[in-house]
Amino acid sequence: MKILHWIDDYLEMAIGICLILTISVVLSIQVFMRYVVHESLSWSEELSRYMFIWLIYLGISYGAKVMRHIKIDAGLYMFPKRTRPYIVICGDLIFLIFSIVVVIYSLKLVNRQIKLEQVSPAIGIPMYLVYLAPAVGFFLTSIREVQTIIYRIKKLKSPCGTNEIGQE
């Protein structure tokens, strides 16, 4: 259970930190090689690009976990205060549906890439690993959105929950 709790709390953050550190190290080595040694690495920019793609999609999941995605507060304040929590939950449901749709179409794209057996030019890794990033990121986002919706509904049912639910 401790592992599941750790995964729930830190999965996206831990992977994100590792990706950022690796990108920084790889690009620093590339800068050193290019400007000090006067030789360029053929693989560093491609690897950094692919890690950055994974970082972005895991970041979407992290944003959903901490409930900090972009929303238009001005639009939310157009509704009466009592209905705002329900509007926020509806927005979360729409984002959940969107996440599931992205996962479905991403998996179709990954399946196509597996059949094509395309590899990246510099590193030679299968391209389906890059195309897998949206599927994994939005799958985790779907899980986080379900957690968020459950949290908001519980908060809605609590006696003092209606005051803060729309402002998170």
Side-chain angles (χ1 to χ4, degrees):
M1 285 308 233
K2 286 184 178 184
I3 289 180
L4 289 177
H5 183 67
W6 186 90
I7 289 172
D8 185 45
D9 287 345
Y10 301 111
L11 177 67
E12 295 94 340
M13 191 183 331
I15 295 172
I17 289 170
C18 290
L19 286 171
I20 288 174
L21 287 173
T22 306
I23 290 169
S24 299
V25 168
V26 167
L27 289 179
S28 296
I29 292 170
Q30 171 67 349
V31 168
F32 176 80
M33 292 296 293
R34 184 174 289 167
Y35 293 107
V36 176
V37 182
H38 301 290
E39 292 289 328
S40 183
L41 300 174
S42 62
W43 53 269
S44 62
E45 293 169 19
E46 185 177 285
L47 178 63
S48 297
R49 184 180 322 118
Y50 296 154
M51 287 190 297
F52 188 67
I53 290 169
W54 273 89
L55 181 65
I56 289 168
Y57 286 106
L58 291 172
I60 294 169
S61 175
Y62 181 74
K65 176 189 181 297
V66 296
M67 295 180 250
R68 294 290 184 232
H69 274 293
I70 296 172
K71 62 182 175 208
I72 303 172
D73 286 336
L76 185 62
Y77 291 125
M78 290 180 4
F79 294 96
K81 196 170 190 173
R82 299 191 87 192
T83 61
R84 289 178 194 163
Y86 301 101
I87 300 301
V88 171
I89 292 172
C90 286
D92 288 331
L93 285 169
I94 291 169
F95 191 46
L96 174 61
I97 292 167
F98 172 76
S99 299
I100 292 169
V101 168
V102 170
V103 169
I104 291 167
Y105 281 99
S106 295
L107 289 175
K108 288 179 182 180
L109 186 61
V110 167
N111 190 32
R112 184 174 296 149
Q113 286 296 319
I114 290 171
K115 289 177 184 174
L116 290 174
E117 298 179 359
Q118 183 182 6
V119 295
S120 67
I123 309 171
I125 64 168
M127 285 304 293
Y128 73 84
L129 294 176
V130 178
Y131 285 92
L132 194 61
V136 171
F138 276 99
F139 175 75
L140 291 173
T141 300
S142 299
I143 293 170
R144 297 306 187 180
E145 277 302 310
V146 168
Q147 291 174 329
T148 298
I149 292 167
I150 291 169
Y151 168 79
R152 291 191 198 277
I153 290 172
K154 284 181 181 177
K155 193 153 182 133
L156 189 63
K157 290 180 180 180
S158 70
C160 62
T162 56
N163 293 340
E164 301 173 7
I165 195 166
Q167 282 73 31
E168 293 180 347

